[in-house]
Amino acid sequence: MSAIDDLPPLREVISRHELAAKKSLGQNFLLDLNLTARIARTGGRLEGVTVVEVGPGPGGLTRGLLAEGAKRVIAIEKDTRALGALAEIAARYPGRLDVISGDALEVDMAALAADGPARVVANLPYNVATPLLIGWVAADRWPPWWDGLTLMFQREVAERIVAQPGDDAYGRLGVLCGWRCEARIAFDVGPQAFTPPPKVTSSVVRLTPRETPLPCPVRALEAVTQAAFGQRRKMLRQSLKSLGDAAALLAAAGVEPTRRAEEIPVEGFVALARAFEATRG
């Protein structure tokens, strides 16, 4: 008997469905149902909420989300081996679990969760974690279809997400996430919690969308941060030359040309992005 429901222990589920984690899919399964319940609770109260989960695998976090009262869980799983285990969970929670077999990078999650309120809670496969996050945070439409992201990352990536100017980890990801969200690391999870154990510590990150982030064209912000952090040790008057007249761009944004990318706050990058967009007519 598990701690949160009357379904079989996850080790038994994995053995019965032959669900050995695949490195090619970035899989590391969480087997501690008390831990998956904690992750589910980190996403906030789930009653009446549709939750999108990416990479459920054998369904440990899925069970936590359902046990915590999610109105509906939409589980997107690329590994067809896991579908049998997820079907058993769906039978235990009739009408509350929808399993989508496919690649999360190609799924229209906004359409699936259109009956909102909706949020994303997931132990993301490592090999698609950052592209998925950027897709959610850099969407053209804002406010987004989700009201929160509770996501598991490698600790190194988590530190980049929450980094502030002057931090060693501060870069493009920190600017993008800081512009549109309030982000914090909720807690760390050691390698021993996973099967197989990864070589690094993981962290659960909570991102809450800003209702009215500073107006800024997303693509221009991506271009400016790519240029600036692509040569992060150089002064901006040098690193931004690939965008055109760097001196004029910096002057228009009110940013000192001798500063470096790692010193510029989100507001400064927004100003640079607006100035860059203006030069493109």
Side-chain angles (χ1 to χ4, degrees), residues 1 7 46 48 73 77 112 140 143 168 181 224 243 246 256 271 273:
M1 186 78 68
L7 288 165
L46 299 181
V73 175
E77 180 54 70
L112 291 173
D140 291 328
D168 289 342
C181 298
V224 166
L243 301 180
E256 288 291 330

Side-chain angles (χ1 to χ4, degrees), residues 249-271:
L249 187 64
L250 289 159
V255 176
E256 288 291 330
T258 55
R259 298 183 74 184
R260 293 175 172 80
E262 60 201 27
E263 303 173 309
I264 306 301
V266 171
E267 296 81 3
F269 279 110
V270 167

